Structure formats: structure tokens, C-alpha cells
Amino acid sequence: MTADRASGAAPAPATPKPRALSGIQPTGRFHWGNYFGAIRQYIELQPPADGASPGAAAEAYYFIADLHALTTVRDPARLRDLVRAAAIDLVALGLDPERAVLFVQSDVPEVCELTWLLMTVAPMGLLERCHAFKDKKARGLPADAGLFTYPVLMSADILAYDATVVPVGEDQVQHIEVCRDLAGAFNHLYGPVFTLPVPRLVEGGAKVPGTDGLKMSKSYDNTLDVFEDPAAQKKKIMRITTDSRPMEAPKDPETDHLFALYALVAPEEDRLRMAETYRRGGFGYGEVKKALVTAAAEHFAEARARRAALEADSERIEAILAAGATRARARAWDVLDRARRACGIDRSPHRPPPGRTS
Ligand code: ADP
Ligand code: TRP
């Protein structure tokens, strides 16, 4: 019993500390859009090793969304490889398992049960408006119930850890709104069970362009992958589409996708110098492409070295994911327990998973 309670005084209200959570689907190897648009932000939000820092979360949960990926990756061996590669990539890029909880979505089965509880308060109309399903239907493609209920599983992912802040790209904001709606509906029926999260968009929110100038995306086959073989990446860079204006013509760096890619990986000083060169004119796109090859190699050199070390130590990544799953399950169990009791699904003993300490 605390001193406050012993003296009969009301306990001081706890200051809400941001708890960050995000998931990323292992549907392919990570490209620059994934890194600069999502992963880099996860890393920035990790609680610092040496105490508080403004902007960082108090706790951070990041997971590899393999259950979501099942709606697109139908080859089990490939899915296993992609999950493992995603874990190695994230750690190599700076996600620190000492500071953030890194785990695989399917290692926390509590999330699936929570999905069902949320499904019972999810209006059909709300899910019909969600873009992943709507777009597929509009294109006349067959959609399965997994795709239709995808935002409910995503809501369970978020609510299971009492997340308050969800770093995502703009395309996911609609799903966070769904999550808030479902949590609100459940709380309205059964009392305050779930914490309502807010999205946190990448600063600037700029879309990373692909090698053809459209948004970089696996679906457009226009990606530069973070850990791509350097020779293959060089070929892709040398083939980046450019316009046919004469070399002498001054150009606006702000509207050029080759420059936008260079700006992501080049040090500040080089970026400013390149912008100046664009404005002056009298340069060839070939030179910019060569500079991009070099800048990209340097930008990811350390991460590449860390990746090679992790790849060579096969037990390390498994140990990281196992420890992450234990920590994630401990919290998800508490939240699920709360939700079960609130709605009257608490007849059978609901046993905590191994490793639950609290
Ligand atoms: P893809 O379009 O290649 O299938 P995903 O949809 O799996 O990529 O992307 C996962 C996350 O990565 C998205 O939620 C978004 O935050 C980020 N992302 C993907 N592509 C880009 C991009 N071109 N620019 C900025 N962010 C992106
Ligand atoms: N749907 C997200 C994407 O495609 C991945 C995801 C699954 C996620 N569950 C989540 C993101 C929970 C944030 C929070 O990018």
C-alpha cells in the first residue's frame, strides 16, 4: 500500500508517458520508402539509453506483421525468410532491442483473440470504406475476409499494448482512425478498457520517389532496396528516368526525383552543393547518378556491416525475437484479460503465458 492510500489521500494522477508502437509487413525486402518513410522514425522514437530525451517515447514496441503479410505472401518458405530478414534489417538499421521491444506479430496469440472481441463492435460500413479493401474491390480483384478485416487486426495490434502513439506513413492514418473508433465503441459498451492512440506522421510526410519518379513501392517495381547488392543497385540508379533538357539548362532541384533521392542519402554539405549545381545548369544527370551511387553506399555502410555480422550469428536474432515476444505477451495478456472480463468472457481460467512477471 502506498503512503497516499494509507493516509486516505487520492493518489497523484500518473503522467501519461508516450508508448510508441508500430508494425511493418514483411512482404518484401525494405526499400528506401520504407526506411525514410517509416523505419527511421521508429528508430528516432526509441527511448534513449541514457534517460529522457524530448520527443522520444518512454516505451517502444515494434513488430514484424507476419499475420497481415499472409494476405499477400502465400509461400511459407518465402514468408519465413522475409520475417527473419526483416528482423535482421531492423536491428542493423539501428532498432536497439535493449531500448525497444522487437517481436513478430504471430508470437503474441493474444492479439488474435482481441481481434475477435473488436470484430464484434466493428461496423461493416466502416470496414467497407477502408482503402486496402475498397481499392481491390474497385479494381474488380477478389478480396478475402483477411483483407476486409485487416484494420481490425491492426487495431488489436495497437490496443494490445496500450499504445498511445503510432508512427506511420500517411497511408495508415485511416486505419488508426478505425482503431480509435473500435476502441471507443468497446469502451462505450463495457467501460474504459482501451487506451486511444494517435498517429504520428513522419516529419514533412514527403513521399520517397521511385526510380521512375512515381511513389516508390514494391507494387511499381521502382524500388531501391536498403540492403540491395551494390552492383544491382548501381544498375538501377544508372537507369533512373530523367528528362531530356539540355545539359546547360538550369534546373529546379525541388522538382527532380533524382535530386530527391540524392538528398536522402547525401551529407548536408554535398546536398547543398548539388542543389546549387542544378540551379546553375551545365551538368549531366549521369554525374548526379554516380554521386548518388557513392552517397547511398556511404549512407548505409555501417548498417550493411552490422547486417553482415547479424547474418553470421544466426542465434542472436532468434534470441532477440524470443525475448521481445515474452515482453510483448506479458503486456498483451494484461490488456486481453481486461477486455475479457469487461465483456463477460471470463468463465474459463485464462492463464498468463510463461514469462509474465507482473
Ligand atoms: P509498398 O508500397 O512498397 O508495398 P508498404 O505499403 O509495405 O510499401 O510500406 C510500409 C510503410 O512504409 C508504409 O506504411 C509507409 O509508411 C512507408 N512507405 C512505403 N513507401 C513509401 C514511400 N514511397 N514514401 C514514404 N513512405 C513510404
Ligand atoms: N498495416 C501496416 C502497413 O501496412 C502494418 C501494421 C500492422 C501496423 N499492424 C500495425 C502499423 C499496427 C502500425 C500499427 O504498413
Side-chain angles (χ1 to χ4, degrees), residues 161-176:
Y161 308 98
D162 281 328
T164 58
V165 176
V166 186
V168 280
E170 206 152 346
D171 57 329
Q172 297 299 317
V173 172
Q174 185 188 41
H175 295 149
I176 315 274

Side-chain angles (χ1 to χ4, degrees), residues 182-256:
L182 302 187
F186 197 94
N187 286 354
H188 182 71
L189 279 169
Y190 302 117
V193 172
F194 295 123
T195 308
L196 267 58
V198 291
R200 183 185 193 273
L201 282 174
V202 180
E203 248 166 71
K207 292 266 170 287
V208 175
T211 52
D212 54 1
L214 299 172
K215 180 195 167 196
M216 186 179 285
S217 169
K218 290 188 277 297
S219 343
Y220 303 155
D221 197 17
N222 64 357
T223 60
L224 294 174
D225 296 346
V226 176
F227 293 112
E228 197 156 27
D229 166 65
Q233 182 157 90
K234 182 171 178 189
K235 268 195 196 154
K236 282 193 193 172
I237 290 178
M238 297 316 284
R239 283 200 304 258
I240 289 176
T241 54
T242 49
D243 60 45
S244 52
R245 280 177 297 173
M247 272 179 78
E248 314 74 62
K251 296 168 184 84
D252 180 3
E254 302 305 326
T255 57
D256 182 60

